[in-house]
Structures are given as C-alpha cells and as structure tokens.
Amino acid sequence: MLEEVYGPVSELQRQRLHTIGESGHHLLSLINDILDVAKVEAGKLSLELQDVNLPEICEASLRLVRQSALKKNLHIDAQIAADIGVVRADGRRLKQVLVNLLGNAVKFTPEGGAIGVNVTAQGEDDAIHITVWDTGIGIAPEHQQRLFQSFVQVDSSLSRQQGGSGLGLTLAQKMIQLHGGTIKLESTLGKGSRFTITLPKRAPDPLPNTPPEQCIHHAATWQNALIIEDSVITAEQLERYLHEMKIEAVHRASASSALWTAQAIAPDLIFLDSFLADGGGWDLFAQLKQSPQTCDIPIVIVSVADEQTYAMQQGASAYLTKPFTRENLHEVFKVLIDHQAAPVVAAPVAAKSQRLMLVEDNEYLIELFSDYLSVKGYLVDVKRNGLEAVQQVGVTTYDLILMDLQMPEMNGLEAIRHIRQDGLCIDTPILVLTAHSMPGDQERCMNAGANGFLSKPVQLQTLISRIESLLQ
C-alpha cells in the first residue's frame, strides 16, 4: 500500500501505514525473542558452528542499523584489526547479538552522537574481543547488575520512551556463553557504554588479506585513484585497501578542492562520497562528468544511503555502500573489470517479456505477490504446488521461479530437484520463499539447485532487489 500498488494514499494514511508496519515487526521480534529464550532455558538451542568471516559479520551488522543511525545523525565507526579473519562460530547467532547491541547503542544515543564496533585479537590464547560502544546516556552502576536478567529494563525516562522487551541482552549473554565466550559491560552515566564480547578463535585464518588475482592483474590499468571523502576514517580505510591492490590514492575532503585536483592529476579512478560536509557531492559529480579533463574517468559513488539506482542513472560506474568491507571493494573492481570500466546500468523495471512462475499455496500471498510483481512490470504465472510447477516448466519458458517450500502434493524441495535433475529450466534462477525456515533448509535448497533463499515475511522491495540481482 505504501508503494501505491492499489492506488494513491494520503500523507496521513502513509504515516498510519508506517505505524502498522513497525508495530508488526516489533511484535514479530518480541515473539522470536521469547521463543529463543525458551529454547535456551530448555537446553534446546543449538549452535551451527562453522568457520565464519568475522569482519563481514561486523560490517553486515552495522549495515542493518545504518538507516536508524542516520535518522539520528549518528556517526558510525568500525575499527577491525587487519589480522582478524575467520572464527569458529554460529554466524547467524553472532550477527543477532551484534545487531541487538548496536540497536541498543542507536536507541540510547542522543542525536549527533556516535556508535561503533572495535575488533581486536589479544592474548596467548588468541581470543577475539568485539566491543560495541556508544556515546549515549550510559547506565548507572546500580542498574548494571540487573541488565542481563530477562524482562529487565533500565529505569530511565529514555528507556521508557523507547520501549522494548528486556530480552535482548539476556539472549546476547546466553548465546555468547554457548560459544564459550563472555560479555561484559563498562558504562558511565551520561557518557556512554561499552559491551565487550570475548570469543575463543579456535580456527586458523584461511582467508588472505590480499585481493583476488584478477584485481591485482588489473592494477596496470588503475595505478592511481582520487578519494573525495570528508570522513577521515573512511578515507584511510579506502587508501589501505587500494594500497593492497598497488593503487596509489590521493585524498581530498571537500568538493571545492577535489575538482581542481581531479583536473590536475587526471586519476584513473575516482571514489566520491555523495554526502560531503559542504553539501556538494552530487554537484561535484555533475561537474566531473561535464569537464573535458575528467568526463571519461570512472566514478564510484560511496554512500551511506541507498541511492544506487539514482547513481547509475546519473552515470556512475559502480556503487559502494558504507560501511564496507575489503570484499565489498573487490566486488566493485570485479564490476569495473567485467565492464572494462564502462558505466554500469542499474537493472531496469522488468520488461514485459520477463515471465516469472510463482509456486505458492497461500492465497493471501498469491494475491500480494502477484499484484506487486505485476505493477513492477513482470508477467506472473501462479502454480499452487510443486507438481504443477514441474509439469509447467516443460511447457513454458520462465526467466525466474519463486518457490515456496511447504505445499501439498509435492513440496518445493522435491520440485527443485525434479526441475534440475530432469534438465528442465536448468539455467533458470530459482528463488526459495519460505515461512518456516528450519536449520539446514537453506543448505538443502542450495544443494538441490536453488539460487537464492528468503524467509517470510519478506520485504517486497527486498524481493524485487533479489529478483533483479538473479535476473542479471
């Protein structure tokens, strides 16, 4: 309704719809927290331990709270030691803990403050220390002892305004304890808090800190870069990653000084922050594209906002979202290499020739997905079980298949296996959508031949984004 699929809505209606959506997500989060606490106390919560990339988990957690932090004009910082790589952990649960701590940091930090994550490896046992910090209201000593108890909230006017279940920190502590680690709090009233997680590493670091050979090989083309960025921390991070790829970097912090520099040195590549302190990010982009000295230089937009579609329409060559990892930057270079530094065009609204099969037995979801996808320009065929889907793929050609898992007659997993094993639509992307995601479901689906996996309820914009990515 917010995207006006069913017609226009007034501003007041839009506000009320936002409230409905936020309330629904809040209730879903509360139910999930209660279920997790019950599982822990019953000894039924088990971890799926594997080697996970800790920097990626930290960066992904920061991205999940980025928008709420931006609304409060909070500065976001990430300091991750270079020697941090792989740890033995349950990646999903560890991210759940970090998102909870970061969410609290955003919630209890006044406008204009700062939050961040620091990760270090210290001690003979090579333990990992992850600190989530903020410059918020802090916690009084008399309240700190009760903070990790279930359904307990700090008694302050701000916490009453923000609400919450009082289960987040309880879960965080129990999940870290299941990992064999600890979590401790340091806090000063009025100055902020620091939650430090200590985890045993218990795994060698098989991931090199060097970029892919393909990127290194292409350094002959890109020997120098101009970084236009008003955040010193972000600029230093970019410079460090580029130096690893043997690309020299020059840094400018304002639009006024950057234009002259770009025209003078004619760099092979430009990284431009769209939100410069002097407000000239997009104006500078236009000037760079109009100037004869710089119009052919690939520009990578670096931004905290979701402006990729707009950036590509304006002629950007690639897009990098803050906060980013080394791997995210390598992906940007893969895009530049694959397209020989030509501008990357954002995925357009689906053409009428793009036909999707929706395999779903829930009538409400059939109606919702069909209406939304049709408005976005896709042709949608609906099948209500896996057997119907298997029979139809031999008759009609599809660009993508959306597959539910739990259905009558033939479930989604069996249908995927039949489609792939029988050679039907062998190259057609299959995106699994399921409301009952159990441990191991995603791996089983991918092994059967699926190309993607989303758990319901799914944001419709997320669904479109994933579909466009798979179609590309």
Side-chain angles (χ1 to χ4, degrees):
M1 292 180 71
L2 283 169
E3 292 193 40
E4 302 187 339
V5 171
Y6 301 108
V9 296
S10 69
E11 185 56 35
L12 182 60
Q13 289 170 332
R14 187 174 297 277
Q15 294 172 11
R16 298 300 180 262
L17 289 169
H18 274 295
T19 300
I20 293 170
E22 290 171 0
S23 298
H25 283 291
H26 175 73
L27 289 173
L28 180 64
S29 175
L30 175 62
I31 291 168
N32 286 335
D33 284 349
I34 292 173
L35 290 173
D36 281 340
V37 169
K39 289 177 186 176
V40 171
E41 293 180 349
K44 299 296 184 182
L45 185 66
S46 59
L47 301 179
E48 296 182 29
L49 296 176
Q50 54 186 319
D51 290 345
V52 296
N53 188 305
L54 185 56
E56 287 185 0
I57 288 177
C58 293
E59 298 287 359
S61 302
L62 282 167
R63 282 196 292 271
L64 288 172
V65 301
R66 176 169 52 87
Q67 290 299 332
S68 54
L70 288 176
K71 289 179 182 178
K72 298 181 70 173
N73 195 29
L74 301 182
H75 175 73
I76 304 174
D77 185 30
Q79 297 288 335
I80 301 175
D83 58 342
I84 301 296
V86 169
V87 296
R88 190 74 174 169
D90 185 323
R92 184 171 69 91
R93 293 299 186 182
L94 186 54
K95 184 163 70 171
Q96 182 180 349
V97 170
L98 292 177
V99 170
N100 179 272
L101 295 177
L102 286 165
N104 282 343
V106 172
K107 185 189 299 184
F108 296 113
T109 301
E111 286 209 21
I115 66 168
V117 176
N118 298 340
V119 185
T120 58
Q122 298 176 352
E124 295 180 359
D125 59 351
D126 206 17
I128 301 294
H129 302 280
I130 310 169
T131 299
V132 176
W133 58 269
D134 64 66
T135 60
I137 61 173
I139 303 167
E142 61 268 24
H143 296 312
Q144 293 181 21
Q145 298 299 320
R146 303 187 301 116
L147 206 59
F148 292 98
Q149 297 175 15
S150 297
F151 301 106
V152 169
Q153 289 183 285
V154 176
D155 184 19
S156 71
S157 60
L158 183 55
S159 67
R160 286 198 297 270
Q161 292 171 12
Q162 296 292 344
S165 65
L167 291 173
L169 290 176
T170 302
L171 273 172
Q173 184 182 56
K174 292 181 182 299
M175 288 178 184
I176 294 303
Q177 289 172 346
L178 286 174
H179 280 86
T182 61
I183 180 170
K184 68 175 184 178
L185 165 67
E186 300 171 85
S187 185
T188 303
L189 200 60
K191 294 185 177 180
S193 303
R194 296 172 63 88
F195 288 88
T196 300
I197 298 168
T198 301
L199 290 174
K201 190 171 184 181
R202 293 202 303 251
D205 185 355
L207 296 183
N209 282 332
T210 55
E213 287 297 322
Q214 187 185 25
C215 292
I216 295 176
H217 175 72
H218 226 78
T221 299
W222 296 306
Q223 296 181 354
N224 56 79
L226 172 61
I227 300 172
I228 309 171
E229 171 62 67
D230 58 1
S231 166
V232 176
I233 293 172
T234 301
E236 289 178 348
Q237 182 185 8
L238 257 177
E239 286 184 49
R240 185 168 66 253
Y241 292 167
L242 291 172
H243 182 72
E244 293 172 359
M245 302 171 67
K246 307 187 187 313
I247 298 174
E248 296 301 320
V250 175
H251 173 222
R252 293 292 180 267
S254 67
S256 55
S257 63
L259 180 61
W260 180 88
T261 302
Q263 292 172 335
I265 68 174
D268 298 320
L269 196 59
I270 295 175
F271 290 86
L272 171 60
D273 180 9
S274 62
F275 287 99
L276 295 172
D278 55 10
W282 286 113
D283 289 339
L284 175 59
F285 180 90
Q287 291 174 323
L288 289 168
K289 284 300 181 184
Q290 292 167 5
S291 170
Q293 298 99 315
T294 58
C295 61
D296 294 327
I297 299 174
I299 300 177
V300 179
I301 294 296
V302 185
S303 179
V304 295
D306 184 10
E307 300 178 308
Q308 183 166 359
T309 300
Y310 177 76
M312 298 308 172
Q313 290 172 344
Q314 298 306 304
S317 295
Y319 196 87
L320 185 62
T321 304
K322 301 181 192 177
F324 54 87
T325 64
R326 181 182 283 102
E327 288 70 24
N328 297 144
L329 182 61
H330 295 169
E331 289 298 321
V332 165
F333 273 91
K334 288 178 184 177
V335 171
L336 294 172
I337 292 168
D338 290 342
H339 296 274
Q340 297 180 340
V344 178
V345 180
V349 173
K352 291 299 181 183
S353 59
Q354 289 181 304
R355 183 177 292 274
L356 311 184
M357 178 192 287
L358 173 62
V359 191
E360 173 66 65
D361 66 330
N362 184 301
E363 292 300 326
Y364 158 70
L365 291 178
I366 289 173
E367 182 178 286
L368 176 65
F369 289 156
S370 296
D371 289 347
Y372 189 74
L373 293 169
S374 296
V375 167
K376 295 299 181 180
Y378 295 99
L379 297 173
V380 183
D381 289 350
V382 176
K383 302 300 170 188
R384 287 171 169 75
N385 60 64
L387 184 59
E388 290 183 11
V390 171
Q391 292 170 344
Q392 189 63 34
V393 292
V395 178
T396 306
T397 300
Y398 292 97
D399 295 288
L400 183 138
I401 298 172
L402 298 171
M403 182 74 72
D404 186 24
L405 279 191
Q406 293 193 336
M407 295 178 293
E409 294 193 55
M410 180 186 290
N411 64 46
L413 194 59
E414 293 179 64
I416 295 171
R417 291 196 183 106
H418 278 289
I419 290 171
R420 295 306 194 209
Q421 291 172 1
D422 294 348
L424 305 172
C425 298
I426 193 164
D427 295 322
T428 302
I430 299 177
L431 177 58
V432 171
L433 304 173
T434 178
H436 302 285
S437 180
M438 302 297 288
D441 277 353
Q442 182 168 352
E443 290 75 13
R444 283 190 286 272
C445 290
M446 304 305 270
N447 290 336
N451 303 92
F453 188 96
L454 286 175
S455 295
K456 302 172 189 173
V458 59
Q459 293 284 344
L460 293 173
Q461 291 177 338
T462 301
L463 176 63
I464 289 294
S465 176
R466 185 66 65 89
I467 288 173
E468 289 179 348
S469 175
L470 289 172
L471 287 174
Q472 284 182 306

